[in-house]
């Protein structure tokens, strides 16, 4: 802040504790004045609180807390730039003023400056790691792409957020990748891989002098690789090259240099398993990987010692549970002990899928499967469960301002209709520990993944196979029903929605996620390309299709590489190759809501979109006005790129 700005804020250079006229001020008076202003502030009388804080500052121009509080009041009145300047001044006066950093971050965010917002929150975390700051940090991180990280402070906090599960890894991935790209070893490697693509570079050229060992030093990269699909085409190309280099080392019979390097290669194998081997594969790599898999099979059968890099390299190309005899790799009788990183791969790729198969046999059928479409959709999700995830985030939280009023009643009966692999179900169950949750889906492989994860977290959720179209036969009622990303895959989404409504208690809430017609023009373009090139929903064609899209100049097609679903096989199939997909408009939703006598309770959207909407259509009532949202979407068709996600309420029974 320069001197002029400081003067404009009233910091006149008077000594602390001196009034403007230079009269000594008395500290009891200051405390009283602050308390009175704070009372107005707390009561929501913002203009009066502002007037009082300004008055205090005219008497005590160096009172840091009052500058900070004035900043908060200004922020509450949408005056972000003065709020930021006030708070900066407060922090200059008192650098350990904890609450100042949160306020400053909010002001920066409202000004569209996420990087300094995250800087401010990192400072707050260093002072006091509260749940509130952690929550703000992860929410803001989602929309931040870093261009610098002095002293590695941001990287340290991002890594901590990832390791401690402050949010779903997927929400942190893009920000973490921007930090990883600040590592010159990675960034130079990406540039080299990108420039050569689709040709692959020899390891020495790809990795430069530093080699794989330098990549192994990047903790954030390694931990992210283990936790969630990486959603960046450049990084993907680079990692595909590194995977190929690892295969060369393993096939040549040489051992990887050290424990760190092995860990790094194992992290790549974790990543490839999680993304279901979605990376483009050259013919020669496919052949070499196949040969290594056969050689591994022979050694397993013969009970011979196995080079430690072999199971890692094979696991980066095929799931280990598909390697004949691989189940014996962990058995005591083999007398070969593995480093922890290989043990972890054996758990991920052999034990966990085996456990899911055991659980699948015990999943009950609550209602049969009805019709051709449901059967085809079931088949797709049996082969390609959705979503792919390893670690859930913090307990679910809806980002709408009004969510508290609409939260389900205590000890509610909850139905998750079309729970998939259970990510949202599990986050909800962690939030509503006392709720009775029934989660249904068509796909047993999805349900068994969800069940294994729920068991791991000690959550009692009832999982069952059922078709929504048959749920009216189960004779149960619910206070809260979720159907996110499900109804648009039914033969008649409106019929499915009506059935779910028949299970909702009067006064109950339903959360729906539906594809927006306006936001999916890119998917329509991709489906046209898929039809033209005759691609089928099989791994080989999905890889080809992804390559075409990544290489496309056409912005609509190219935009698909920005969404997370592009980066795993199942999710890409879900995104572009679905056997049944309806795209919906807001007028259609509006007429359904009216016909069913429902109350539209609002969209679940990020804060920035809600702010833009409020600037275009001010007032609380506009938030639930679907005509206003329709007009807003016409102006900004990507508003609902992540679906229309909203809640509706059923009228309470008349007394
Ligand atoms: C895109 S996934 C969404 C999963 C989950 N709701 C989420 O948001 O992560 C769609 C899921 O809906 C399920 N589904 C589709 N039609 C269904 C139906 N008629 N009855 C039950 N489940 C259905 C599919 O099997 C699939 O697991």
């Amino acid at each position: 802040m320069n001197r002029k700005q400081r003067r404009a804020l009233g910091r006149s250079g008077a000594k602390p504790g001196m009034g403007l006229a230079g009269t000594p001020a008395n500290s009891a008076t200051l405390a009283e004045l602050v308390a009175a202003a704070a009372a107005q502030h707390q009561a929501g009388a913002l203009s009066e609180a502002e007037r009082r804080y300004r008055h205090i500052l005219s008497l005590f121009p160096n009172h840091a807390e009052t500058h900070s509080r004035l900043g908060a009041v200004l922020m509450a009145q949408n005056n972000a730039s003065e709020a930021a300047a006030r708070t900066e001044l407060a922090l200059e006066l008192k650098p350990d003023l904890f609450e100042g950093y949160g306020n400053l971050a909010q002001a920066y965010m409202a000004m569209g400056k996420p990087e300094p917002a995250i800087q401010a929150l990192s400072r707050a975390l260093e002072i006091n790691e509260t749940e509130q700051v952690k929550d703000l940090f992860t929410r803001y991180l989602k929309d931040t792409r870093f261009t610098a990280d002095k002293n590695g402070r941001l990287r340290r906090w991002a890594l901590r957020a990832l390791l401690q599960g402050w949010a779903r890894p997927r929400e942190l991935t893009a920000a973490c990748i921007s930090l990883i790209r600040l590592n010159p070893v990675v960034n130079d490697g990406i540039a080299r891989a990108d420039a050569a693509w689709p040709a692959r570079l020899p390891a020495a050229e790809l990795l430069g002098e530093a080699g794989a060992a330098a990549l192994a030093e990047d903790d954030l990269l390694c931990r992210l690789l283990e936790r969630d699909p990486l959603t960046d085409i450049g990084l993907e190309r680079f990692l595909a090259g590194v995977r190929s280099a690892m295969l060369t080392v393993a096939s040549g019979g040489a051992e990887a240099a050290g424990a760190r390097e092995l860990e790094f290669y194992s992290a790549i194998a974790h990543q490839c398993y999680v993304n279901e081997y979605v990376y483009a594969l050259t013919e020669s790599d496919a052949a070499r990987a196949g040969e290594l898999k056969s050689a591994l099979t022979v050694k397993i059968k013969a009970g011979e010692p196995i080079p430690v890099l072999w199971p890692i390299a094979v696991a980066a190309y095929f799931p280990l549970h598909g390697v004949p005899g691989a189940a014996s790799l962990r058995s005591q009788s083999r007398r070969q002990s593995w480093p922890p990183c290989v043990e972890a791969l054996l758990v991920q790729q052999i034990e966990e899928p085996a456990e899911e198969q055991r659980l699948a046999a015990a999943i009950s059928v609550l209602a049969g499967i009805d019709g051709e479409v449901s059967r085809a959709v079931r088949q797709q999700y049996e082969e390609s469960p959705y979503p792919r995830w390893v670690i859930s985030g913090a307990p679910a939280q809806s980002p709408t301002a009004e969510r508290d009023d609409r939260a389900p009643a205590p000890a509610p009966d909850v139905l998750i209709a079309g729970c998939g692999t259970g990510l949202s179900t599990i986050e909800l169950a962690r939030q509503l520990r006392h709720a009775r949750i029934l989660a249904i889906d068509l796909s047993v492989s999805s349900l068994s993944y969800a069940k294994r994860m729920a068991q791991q977290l000690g959550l009692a959720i009832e999982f069952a196979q059922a078709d929504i179209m048959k749920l009216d036969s189960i004779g149960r009622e619910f206070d809260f029903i979720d159907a996110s990303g499900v109804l648009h895959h039914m033969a008649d989404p409106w019929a499915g929605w009506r059935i779910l409504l028949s299970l909702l208690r009067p006064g109950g809430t339903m959360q729906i996620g539906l594809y927006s017609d306006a936001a999916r023009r890119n998917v329509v373009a991709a489906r046209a390309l898929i039809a033209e090139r005759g691609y089928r929903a099989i791994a080989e064609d999905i890889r080809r299709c992804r390559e075409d899209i990544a290489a496309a100049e056409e912005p609509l097609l190219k935009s698909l590489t920005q969404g997370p679903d592009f980066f795993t096989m199942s999710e890409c199939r879900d995104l572009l190759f679905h056997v049944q997909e309806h795209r919906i408009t807001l007028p259609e939703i509006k007429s359904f809501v009216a016909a069913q006598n429902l109350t539209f309770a609002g969209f679940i959207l990020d804060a920035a979109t809600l702010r833009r909407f409020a600037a275009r259509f001010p007032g609380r009532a506009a938030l639930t006005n679907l005509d206003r949202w329709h007009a807003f979407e016409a102006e900004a068709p990507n508003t609902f790129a992540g679906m229309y996600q909203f809640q509706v309420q059923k009228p309470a029974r008349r007394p």
Side-chain angles (χ1 to χ4, degrees):
M1 190 182 313
N2 61 36
R3 211 178 302 152
K4 198 166 145 210
Q5 286 167 320
R6 212 167 282 162
R7 252 203 317 277
L9 293 177
R11 190 185 175 198
S12 59
K15 288 191 193 124
M18 300 291 281
L20 276 186
T23 43
N26 132 4
S27 63
T29 311
L30 171 62
E32 280 166 21
L33 288 172
V34 170
Q40 296 293 332
H41 189 170
Q42 263 172 10
L46 297 178
S47 311
E48 180 56 17
E50 178 186 340
R51 194 189 65 74
R52 286 175 183 250
Y53 285 138
R54 286 192 191 279
H55 173 65
I56 297 169
L57 289 171
S58 72
L59 300 173
F60 300 92
N62 289 339
H63 193 240
E65 283 81 356
T66 300
H67 279 293
S68 174
R69 286 169 182 213
L70 177 56
V73 167
L74 290 165
M75 191 57 221
Q77 296 174 100
N78 295 323
N79 184 353
S81 58
E82 200 193 334
R86 277 289 160 193
T87 320
E88 279 169 2
L89 181 52
L91 292 167
E92 232 177 80
L93 291 163
K94 197 170 179 185
D96 61 352
L97 186 63
F98 171 71
E99 69 270 15
Y101 291 100
N103 293 342
L104 186 59
Q106 293 188 35
Y108 281 147
M109 212 58 193
M111 292 162 75
K113 294 179 168 179
E115 273 191 89
I118 292 286
Q119 284 282 7
L121 290 174
S122 305
R123 208 34 212 110
L125 286 166
E126 277 159 15
I127 298 171
N128 192 358
E129 208 178 303
T130 64
E131 290 306 314
Q132 209 185 352
V133 181
K134 280 157 54 174
D135 177 55
L136 211 55
F137 180 81
T138 48
R139 272 197 283 137
Y140 288 0
L141 207 59
K142 202 170 152 191
D143 299 316
T144 308
R145 307 293 173 266
F146 296 101
T147 54
D149 179 20
K150 259 195 233 153
N151 312 324
R153 171 193 268 166
L154 302 173
R155 178 180 262 271
R156 273 196 303 282
W157 284 109
L159 181 61
R160 191 164 172 83
L162 189 69
L163 294 182
Q164 295 195 345
W166 294 359
R168 279 185 194 179
R170 191 77 55 105
E171 289 171 2
L172 311 178
T173 304
C176 288
I177 289 175
S178 71
L179 288 168
I180 290 166
R181 273 176 167 270
L182 295 175
N183 175 354
V185 177
V186 179
N187 212 39
D188 296 352
I190 291 175
R192 287 191 288 265
D194 241 350
W197 199 263
R200 307 298 200 271
L201 294 174
E205 224 177 296
L206 178 72
L207 297 170
E209 269 176 33
L215 292 169
E217 295 304 315
D218 192 321
D219 270 358
L220 188 57
L221 172 62
C222 293
R223 301 296 81 79
L224 198 59
L225 282 166
E226 291 160 356
R227 278 166 173 72
D228 217 47
L230 265 51
T231 52
D232 177 294
I233 285 290
L235 192 51
E236 173 176 323
R237 288 175 174 172
F238 175 56
L239 292 169
V242 177
R243 177 175 74 159
S244 177
M246 160 175 47
L247 183 60
T248 305
V249 179
S251 306
E255 280 298 354
R260 287 305 295 263
E261 212 170 316
L262 277 181
E263 265 178 40
F264 173 64
Y265 286 144
S266 300
I268 292 193
H270 272 278
Q271 173 70 194
C272 293
Y273 179 81
V274 171
N275 74 32
E276 301 157 296
Y277 309 98
V278 82
Y279 291 173
L281 191 60
T282 61
E283 270 181 34
S284 91
D285 276 2
R288 289 191 309 143
E291 282 160 21
L292 190 65
K293 181 180 170 189
S294 304
L296 176 64
T297 310
V298 170
K299 282 215 183 283
I300 291 173
K301 204 166 167 203
E304 289 172 10
I306 295 167
V308 72
L309 190 54
W310 280 23
I312 302 176
V314 169
Y317 286 88
F318 310 96
L320 289 174
H321 61 74
V323 177
S328 71
L329 285 173
R330 277 192 101 203
S331 84
Q332 300 290 337
S333 59
R334 262 209 75 79
R335 291 200 301 277
Q336 177 166 10
S337 64
W338 302 104
C341 62
V342 176
E343 287 281 345
L345 276 178
L346 298 177
V347 169
Q348 179 199 42
Q349 301 196 12
I350 296 174
E351 293 198 358
E352 290 178 355
E355 171 68 3
E356 280 158 38
Q357 284 213 325
R358 278 190 292 276
L359 291 170
I363 301 253
S364 61
V365 179
L366 196 62
I369 294 184
D370 190 46
E372 274 315 295
V373 169
S374 288
R375 273 190 281 280
V377 170
R378 177 194 169 187
Q379 180 67 22
Q380 170 169 336
Y381 287 108
E382 291 295 5
E383 294 164 3
S384 306
Y386 184 105
R388 293 291 290 176
W389 65 282
V390 180
I391 291 170
S392 70
Q397 275 185 11
S398 159
T400 48
E402 295 143 294
R403 70 174 270 282
D404 286 346
D405 318 338
R406 299 197 306 264
D413 287 303
V414 172
L415 169 66
I416 311 291
C419 63
T421 53
L423 175 56
S424 322
T425 309
I426 282 171
E427 287 172 352
L428 190 70
R430 288 175 65 199
Q431 185 192 21
L432 303 176
R433 284 270 174 185
H434 56 311
R436 285 177 296 269
I437 300 182
L438 167 65
I440 64 103
D441 203 281
L442 295 171
S443 152
V444 176
S445 62
S446 304
L447 287 161
S448 45
Y449 188 90
K451 188 160 182 174
R452 180 175 66 74
M453 296 303 258
Q455 282 184 357
Q456 219 170 61
L457 292 163
L459 298 167
I461 300 170
E462 180 188 354
F463 289 101
Q465 188 190 32
D467 186 338
I468 289 171
M469 289 310 292
K470 291 279 190 186
L471 277 182
D472 47 358
S473 64
I474 65 172
R476 288 166 70 167
E477 282 195 323
F478 302 90
D479 302 288
F480 182 80
I481 299 179
D482 175 284
S484 285
V486 178
L487 296 173
H488 47 231
H489 295 312
M490 298 181 66
D492 180 351
W494 312 104
W497 193 349
R498 274 193 295 273
I499 286 183
L500 292 178
L501 280 171
S502 73
L503 308 180
L504 189 63
R505 291 199 174 113
T509 297
M510 193 157 168
Q511 185 156 312
I512 300 283
L514 289 170
Y515 283 156
S516 148
D517 188 47
R520 285 179 80 80
R521 289 166 310 147
N522 53 2
V523 173
V524 172
R527 291 185 76 106
L529 176 126
I530 288 165
E532 183 196 308
R533 307 212 170 152
Y535 290 146
R536 296 148 301 161
I538 57 170
E540 208 183 323
D541 286 5
I542 293 174
R543 287 194 196 104
R544 280 206 196 104
C545 174
R546 291 181 79 251
E547 283 300 287
D548 291 352
I549 289 173
E553 296 293 335
E554 210 276 302
L556 214 48
L557 279 179
K558 192 123 197 128
S559 70
L560 289 161
T561 63
Q562 301 305 308
D565 281 353
F566 191 70
F567 293 89
T568 74
M569 194 69 85
S570 289
E571 290 165 327
C572 191
R573 181 176 179 186
D574 183 86
L575 176 71
L576 304 178
F577 288 80
H578 211 288
V579 291
Q580 173 75 350
E581 155 169 340
H582 294 272
R583 292 175 291 274
I584 314 283
T585 65
L586 284 178
E588 286 173 312
I589 293 174
K590 184 185 169 197
S591 52
F592 182 88
V593 165
Q596 298 298 317
N597 194 22
L598 301 171
T599 304
F600 180 77
F603 286 108
I604 296 165
L605 279 166
D606 59 283
T609 307
L610 288 172
R611 258 199 313 275
R612 279 197 297 278
F613 179 81
R616 178 76 179 79
F617 296 111
R620 221 176 147 71
L623 282 170
T624 51
N625 183 325
L626 285 168
D627 293 328
R628 294 272 185 273
W629 279 105
H630 186 44
F632 187 76
E633 190 185 27
E635 291 163 16
N638 286 331
T639 302
F640 297 102
M643 295 194 292
Y644 296 124
Q645 283 209 279
F646 56 91
Q647 294 189 339
V648 291
Q649 269 173 333
K650 198 170 180 173
R653 209 175 269 135
R654 282 174 207 279

